[in-house]
Amino acid sequence: MKIQESAENYLETILILSQKKSQVRSIDIVNELAFSKPSVSVAMKNLRQNGYILMDKDGHITLTDAGREIAETIYERHQLLSQCLVRLGVDEQTAIEDACRIEHVISAKSFEAVKHHLETH
């Protein structure tokens, strides 16, 4: 299922934050992405309604299996594409920024080809 780029970014951010800390709350996402509280609140509501996250009564956010699958896919793409661009001579900051844009539009087929090429060369 194709979801919006912004939703993919939120899911990826939740995944990254959950690797750094035991509990993720909306304020952590606000601080990480420098977005407004209302924007993050609306996004969390949408992600919850679409079955990508769960939020308990204390506001702790966890990814559902569907949300985790999307987040891990986007994160893998981000990591690999960033590394690829750096290996090609792109400075790290530019590589990270460009990978963040590419990760959302590259097809699964093209990504797998890039991944295979990097693993074999």
Side-chain angles (χ1 to χ4, degrees):
M1 176 181 189
K2 182 69 178 145
I3 66 170
Q4 291 185 350
E5 180 179 330
S6 61
E8 290 175 340
N9 281 333
Y10 278 112
L11 293 171
E12 180 185 23
T13 300
I14 294 166
L15 176 69
I16 292 166
L17 288 171
S18 69
Q19 294 171 347
K20 295 178 186 176
K21 53 194 319 179
S22 61
Q23 298 176 332
V24 178
R25 298 176 62 152
S26 291
I27 192 66
D28 301 317
I29 298 165
V30 167
N31 293 333
E32 183 72 17
L33 298 176
F35 290 167
S36 72
K37 289 179 184 179
S39 294
V40 172
S41 179
V42 168
M44 293 307 104
K45 178 183 175 190
N46 290 336
L47 291 173
R48 196 170 56 249
Q49 289 177 339
N50 288 305
Y52 296 119
I53 66 167
L54 300 172
M55 189 178 293
D56 70 15
K57 62 180 175 48
D58 296 320
H60 300 128
I61 300 166
T62 55
L63 295 167
T64 63
D65 289 343
R68 179 169 294 284
E69 183 178 339
I70 292 167
E72 288 175 348
T73 297
I74 296 300
Y75 187 61
E76 177 189 25
R77 288 178 177 192
H78 183 88
Q79 294 293 100
L80 189 122
L81 293 167
S82 295
Q83 293 167 8
C84 177
L85 292 170
V86 167
R87 284 173 55 183
L88 291 171
V90 177
D91 68 272
E92 187 174 1
Q93 187 59 41
T94 301
I96 289 169
E97 291 169 5
D98 288 347
C100 193
R101 287 188 288 277
I102 296 167
E103 69 195 24
H104 301 286
V105 296
I106 191 169
S107 70
K109 187 174 185 178
S110 293
F111 178 74
E112 287 304 316
V114 170
K115 185 177 173 179
H116 175 76
H117 177 78
L118 291 174
E119 290 172 347
T120 58
H121 290 88

